[in-house]
Amino acid sequence: MNLTKGKNNTNEYQLFRPDIATIINYCNDLGPNEKLVVFEFGKNCDLVLHIYKDEDYNKETGEYNLVTISTATNGKWVDDTYDTHVTDGSLYKELQRINEYENFSTR
């Protein structure tokens, strides 16, 4: 697993084959409007997650500690998850669902 800063976007970070706990930890550390791209996710390591931190997130108070997740495979968007709370167990449940390829849906 590697964490690298995105080349074109100073607010983008990248992880390769992380476990769910690592993704949650990095999501909790993201600042407002920062993005985490996760490569080789899912039981077949064929998913790419684009995780965006809420623009209203307040690091001091913890308010709006939310992320939006867009999932792609083979260059196609297959799933979207909106306003998922990072630390109350919601993000863990969503990542488990995505990892197991359950109930994919885009809006």
Side-chain angles (χ1 to χ4, degrees):
M1 178 186 62
N2 257 342
L3 176 68
T4 59
K5 194 93 162 170
K7 294 177 185 172
N8 298 327
N9 183 347
T10 58
N11 294 326
E12 178 181 299
Y13 301 89
Q14 301 172 351
L15 289 173
F16 296 86
R17 286 196 183 201
D19 60 21
I20 289 174
T22 300
I23 295 171
I24 293 170
N25 285 337
Y26 279 101
C27 285
N28 197 44
D29 289 341
L30 289 174
N33 278 332
E34 289 189 325
K35 177 181 178 183
L36 178 64
V37 180
V38 178
F39 295 95
E40 299 180 1
F41 188 73
K43 60 185 175 183
N44 296 326
C45 298
D46 62 343
L47 301 176
V48 178
L49 308 180
H50 294 260
I51 304 173
Y52 303 87
K53 188 73 160 222
D54 190 283
E55 65 186 21
D56 295 323
Y57 173 57
N58 183 322
K59 216 169 206 173
E60 289 182 24
T61 65
E63 288 183 287
Y64 301 102
N65 194 3
L66 306 170
V67 293
T68 296
I69 306 169
S70 296
T71 304
T73 186
N74 298 321
K76 295 181 183 176
W77 297 109
V78 294
D79 192 66
D80 293 312
T81 303
Y82 296 93
D83 292 338
T84 303
H85 196 277
V86 174
T87 58
D88 73 351
S90 299
L91 180 56
Y92 177 83
K93 289 177 188 172
E94 287 298 330
L95 291 171
Q96 274 293 109
R97 177 187 65 79
I98 295 167
N99 186 61
E100 297 298 321
Y101 300 82
E102 293 178 4
N103 303 320
F104 277 171
S105 141
T106 58
R107 294 182 194 177

